[in-house]
Amino acid sequence: MERTQGCGYDRPERGRSVMQWGQIKTIFIISFLLLDLFLLMQLWANRENDVIQEQTDTTLEEELEVQNIDISNVPSEVPNVTFLNAAPKGFSEQELNSLREKENQNVEVYNDRLVIATFKEPVEIDKDNIQESISDIVPISNLYSYWGWNEDETTALFFQKMNNRTIYYSQGALLMIRTEDGKITGYTATLLDQVEGESGEIQQDLIPPMDIVSLLYNNGYLQENDTIEDMKVGYYSLVNLNAGEEYGEQVFAPTWRVRIGEEFYFVHATNGQVLTNNEGDFIESTIKAYDNQLSSGAPGPVQPSEEETEE
């Protein structure tokens, strides 16, 4: 009887133990599954982050390649260029003497800063080799770099060079060749001189070339099948002071000049602002400024030298 009673009470205890152990195993299994799921999600999230990071690093180049945009001429390094302080400069005696030697030119100087030359007889010009063809007839042309020929205005533009870099679209740093029927009829010229100042000592990191490319692409300036022909840093000012007038220093910012096909774009090299300038409007406003100088004061003619006077 005691053995039978003991066996009867033992079975429920063992049954409860087996059931509890099964529950514990189920809890463990569920816990391990949840842990595996969590780790899998973490692994997937990390993988997606890696993919996103990889896409971020390569998307621009891949997109440009898909769009057949040629960036082979984009420089790989950022030049070290500071802001430029400049003020109007009078032409030197040597420069005026070189003008004085030209018999076919009537030359007048306004405020010592604006030269206006008119040819007595128009001179043939080679538009395809203009920089070399004017070196003899415009002695000061070596101070400028050739910018381009404007067919509508029949005018050739040369921008002054400073620190081996070009000052773009400044009426105070310009050589403008006037032509008619393919012949030079005259020219106007102004100069700037670098001056010391706090702005000229400002050193800021310039925006890297590929960031400029990205900016132009994202804003629609760089499009399918385009080619970046050239890219370099020069100087540009948002304020264009009238040529030949008395004014103080002017600050020119380092600016990326980007040539896409036959179009030119200027991008401020420290803040990324895209600067616009219409060549025809610039020529017209410059001619107007020169006309104002002509009407506002008497010119100072380039006098012949003493030897020429004695003759």
Side-chain angles (χ1 to χ4, degrees), residues 72-131:
S72 58
N73 293 321
V74 174
S76 58
E77 298 182 356
V78 183
N80 182 20
V81 185
T82 62
F83 283 71
L84 172 69
N85 271 20
K89 175 187 177 184
F91 288 89
S92 69
E93 189 64 30
Q94 181 180 357
E95 289 161 349
L96 293 178
N97 283 337
S98 68
L99 300 176
R100 186 182 309 160
E101 295 170 355
K102 300 300 176 183
E103 297 180 355
N104 189 36
Q105 301 178 23
N106 290 324
V107 180
E108 294 178 325
V109 183
Y110 292 78
N111 296 330
D112 295 327
R113 292 180 173 87
L114 172 61
V115 167
I116 298 181
T118 304
F119 289 2
K120 299 172 185 176
E121 293 291 336
V123 178
E124 292 281 354
I125 185 173
D126 181 4
K127 288 171 57 176
D128 297 327
N129 195 21
I130 189 170
Q131 181 89 52

Side-chain angles (χ1 to χ4, degrees), residues 4 13 34 40 80 123 136 141 176 240 242 276 287 296 301:
T4 305
E13 290 294 334
L34 291 175
L40 183 61
N80 182 20
V123 178
D136 289 333
S141 63
M176 191 165 64
N240 210 337
N242 288 337
T276 57
I287 291 173
S296 63

Side-chain angles (χ1 to χ4, degrees), residues 152-178:
D152 294 335
E153 303 292 340
T154 63
T155 299
L157 294 179
F158 293 75
F159 296 149
Q160 185 182 345
K161 298 176 293 186
M162 195 173 291
N163 300 333
N164 293 320
R165 299 191 181 275
T166 303
I167 302 173
Y168 297 109
Y169 284 103
S170 171
Q171 292 181 359
L174 177 68
L175 171 64
M176 191 165 64
I177 307 293
R178 307 187 303 275

Side-chain angles (χ1 to χ4, degrees), residues 5-21:
Q5 263 186 343
C7 291
Y9 284 118
D10 234 3
R11 287 196 192 102
E13 290 294 334
R14 284 200 298 271
R16 281 196 296 270
S17 299
V18 170
M19 185 173 62
Q20 289 174 351
W21 175 243

Side-chain angles (χ1 to χ4, degrees), residues 20 64 72 86 89 158 171 195 211 249 274 285:
Q20 289 174 351
L64 295 177
S72 58
K89 175 187 177 184
F158 293 75
Q171 292 181 359
V195 295
D211 288 352
E249 297 176 13
V274 180
S285 64

